[in-house]
Coordinates of all heavy atoms in Angstrom, one line a residue:
L52 N -1.5 -10.8 -2.4 CA -2.4 -11.2 -3.6 C -2.7 -10.0 -4.4 O -3.1 -10.1 -5.6 CB -3.7 -11.7 -3.1 CG -3.6 -13.1 -2.4 CD1 -5.0 -13.5 -1.9 CD2 -3.1 -14.2 -3.3
E83 N -3.0 -26.0 -1.3 CA -2.7 -25.1 -2.5 C -3.9 -25.2 -3.4 O -4.3 -24.1 -3.9 CB -1.5 -25.5 -3.2 CG -1.0 -24.6 -4.3 CD 0.3 -24.9 -4.9 OE1 1.2 -25.4 -4.1 OE2 0.5 -24.8 -6.1
D84 N -4.5 -26.4 -3.7 CA -5.6 -26.5 -4.6 C -6.8 -25.7 -4.1 O -7.6 -25.1 -4.8 CB -6.0 -27.9 -4.9 CG -4.9 -28.6 -5.7 OD1 -4.1 -27.9 -6.4 OD2 -4.9 -29.9 -5.7
V86 N -6.7 -23.1 -2.1 CA -6.5 -21.7 -2.2 C -6.7 -21.2 -3.7 O -7.4 -20.2 -3.9 CB -5.0 -21.3 -1.8 CG1 -4.7 -19.8 -2.1 CG2 -4.8 -21.6 -0.4
I87 N -6.3 -22.0 -4.6 CA -6.5 -21.7 -6.0 C -8.0 -21.6 -6.4 O -8.4 -20.6 -7.1 CB -5.8 -22.8 -6.9 CG1 -4.3 -22.6 -7.0 CG2 -6.4 -22.7 -8.4 CD1 -3.6 -23.7 -7.7
I90 N -9.0 -18.1 -5.3 CA -8.3 -16.9 -5.9 C -8.1 -16.9 -7.4 O -7.4 -16.1 -7.9 CB -7.0 -16.6 -5.1 CG1 -5.9 -17.6 -5.5 CG2 -7.2 -16.5 -3.6 CD1 -4.5 -17.3 -5.1
L95 N -2.2 -14.1 -12.0 CA -1.0 -14.9 -11.5 C -1.4 -15.8 -10.3 O -0.6 -16.0 -9.4 CB 0.1 -13.9 -11.1 CG 0.6 -12.9 -12.1 CD1 1.6 -12.0 -11.5 CD2 1.2 -13.6 -13.3
Y96 N -2.7 -16.3 -10.3 CA -3.2 -16.9 -9.1 C -2.5 -18.2 -8.7 O -2.3 -18.5 -7.5 CB -4.7 -17.2 -9.3 CG -5.1 -18.2 -10.4 CD1 -5.1 -19.6 -10.1 CD2 -5.3 -17.8 -11.7 CE1 -5.5 -20.5 -11.1 CE2 -5.6 -18.7 -12.7 CZ -5.7 -20.1 -12.4 OH -6.0 -21.0 -13.3
R97 N -1.9 -19.0 -9.7 CA -1.2 -20.2 -9.4 C 0.0 -19.9 -8.6 O 0.3 -20.5 -7.5 CB -0.9 -21.0 -10.6 CG -2.1 -21.6 -11.3 CD -1.7 -22.5 -12.4 NE -2.9 -23.0 -13.1 CZ -3.7 -23.9 -12.7 NH1 -3.5 -24.6 -11.6 NH2 -4.8 -24.3 -13.5
N98 N 0.8 -19.0 -9.0 CA 2.0 -18.6 -8.3 C 1.7 -18.0 -7.0 O 2.4 -18.2 -6.0 CB 2.9 -17.6 -9.2 CG 4.3 -17.4 -8.7 OD1 5.0 -18.4 -8.4 ND2 4.7 -16.2 -8.5
K99 N 0.7 -17.2 -6.9 CA 0.3 -16.5 -5.7 C -0.2 -17.6 -4.6 O 0.2 -17.5 -3.4 CB -0.8 -15.5 -5.9 CG -0.2 -14.2 -6.6 CD -1.3 -13.2 -6.9 CE -0.8 -12.0 -7.6 NZ -1.8 -11.0 -7.9
A100 N -0.9 -18.6 -5.1 CA -1.4 -19.6 -4.2 C -0.2 -20.4 -3.6 O -0.2 -20.8 -2.5 CB -2.3 -20.6 -5.0
K101 N 0.8 -20.6 -4.5 CA 2.0 -21.3 -4.1 C 2.7 -20.5 -3.0 O 3.1 -21.1 -1.9 CB 2.9 -21.5 -5.3 CG 3.8 -22.7 -5.3 CD 4.7 -22.7 -6.5 CE 4.3 -23.8 -7.5 NZ 3.1 -23.8 -8.2
N102 N 2.8 -19.2 -3.2 CA 3.5 -18.4 -2.2 C 2.7 -18.3 -0.9 O 3.3 -18.3 0.2 CB 3.7 -17.0 -2.7 CG 4.9 -16.9 -3.7 OD1 5.8 -17.7 -3.5 ND2 4.9 -16.0 -4.6
V103 N 1.3 -18.3 -1.0 CA 0.5 -18.2 0.2 C 0.8 -19.5 1.1 O 0.9 -19.4 2.3 CB -1.0 -18.1 -0.1 CG1 -1.9 -18.4 1.1 CG2 -1.3 -16.7 -0.7
I104 N 0.8 -20.6 0.5 CA 1.1 -21.8 1.2 C 2.5 -21.8 1.8 O 2.7 -22.2 2.9 CB 0.9 -23.1 0.3 CG1 -0.6 -23.2 -0.1 CG2 1.4 -24.3 1.0 CD1 -1.5 -23.4 1.1
K105 N 3.5 -21.4 1.0 CA 4.9 -21.3 1.5 C 5.0 -20.4 2.6 O 5.7 -20.7 3.6 CB 5.8 -20.9 0.3 CG 6.1 -22.0 -0.7 CD 7.0 -21.4 -1.8 CE 7.4 -22.4 -2.8 NZ 8.2 -21.9 -3.9

Side-chain angles (χ1 to χ4, degrees):
L52 292 176
E83 189 175 321
D84 289 342
V86 175
I87 285 174
I90 70 168
L95 308 174
Y96 66 90
R97 291 189 186 279
N98 192 53
K99 289 178 179 179
K101 209 179 250 71
N102 281 334
V103 167
I104 292 298
K105 285 181 181 177

